[in-house]
């Protein structure tokens, strides 16, 4: 079974619009979805209506929420903005096989690569490859 860590922007996008295509991730029997409290709070903070926040709560009820992992070192070659470091650390500590993100500006240089055992992909690439 794949253990797939969802970045805050993926949670946000899945909750933003009812019937979003990203909801296909929640329907995959071969995938265990995981995230962190840090990612959940970022998504929650950016959703602007009660309906969207309610959809987020429904989605995260089906996701394993892992602890933050400030002690997990990033490989020396990896450079990320400080706000994204907790996401990658949490994915690595959770034993995720994949980290799905739509943050092309900050994670774009890592897309398709494995970092600390975690393959970084966009949700679309992940879904198309399965």
């Amino acid at each position: 079974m794949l253990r797939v860590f969802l970045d805050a922007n993926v949670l946000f996008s899945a909750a933003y619009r009812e019937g979003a295509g990203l909801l296909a991730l929640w329907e995959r029997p071969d995938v265990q979805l995981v995230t962190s409290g840090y990612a959940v709070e970022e998504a929650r903070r950016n959703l602007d209506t009660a309906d969207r926040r309610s959809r987020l709560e429904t989605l995260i009820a089906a996701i394993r929420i892992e602890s933050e992992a400030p002690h997990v070192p990033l490989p020396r070659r990896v450079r990320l903005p400080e706000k994204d470091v907790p996401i990658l650390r949490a994915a690595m500590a959770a034993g995720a096989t994949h980290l799905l993100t739509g943050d092309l500006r900050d994670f774009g240089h890592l897309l398709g690569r494995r970092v600390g055992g975690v393959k970084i992909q966009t949700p679309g690439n992940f879904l198309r490859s399965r």
Side-chain angles (χ1 to χ4, degrees):
M1 176 168 290
L2 299 174
R3 191 168 169 89
V4 178
F5 191 97
L6 303 179
D7 192 0
N9 56 61
V10 176
L11 296 171
F12 172 90
S13 296
Y16 190 82
R17 185 175 52 85
E18 192 170 353
L22 288 173
L23 297 177
L25 292 167
W26 277 258
E27 298 168 0
R28 299 288 307 262
D30 60 334
V31 168
Q32 179 186 32
L33 297 176
V34 296
T35 195
S36 66
Y38 178 86
V40 169
E41 286 309 312
E42 184 178 336
R44 188 179 285 133
R45 186 174 56 251
N46 288 301
L47 289 167
D48 59 353
T49 67
D51 283 350
R52 290 172 176 151
R53 286 187 295 274
S54 177
R55 281 195 292 273
L56 176 65
E57 297 306 318
T58 299
L59 293 172
I60 62 173
I63 299 176
R64 183 178 176 100
I65 309 247
E66 294 287 346
S67 300
E68 305 309 311
H71 62 282
V72 173
L74 294 184
R76 280 195 283 250
R77 71 184 192 286
V78 174
R79 299 286 181 254
L80 285 171
E82 196 59 36
K83 71 176 184 61
D84 294 312
V85 170
I87 297 295
L88 183 52
R89 282 184 172 154
M92 290 167 52
T97 57
H98 295 77
L99 164 59
L100 302 188
T101 183
D103 185 351
L104 301 181
R105 182 181 49 154
D106 296 330
F107 280 98
H109 66 287
L110 298 173
L111 289 178
R113 293 179 44 198
R114 286 199 181 276
V115 177
V118 180
K119 185 168 186 177
I120 301 172
Q121 289 186 289
T122 63
N125 284 344
F126 175 82
L127 289 168
R128 282 188 294 279
S129 70
R130 303 278 164 239

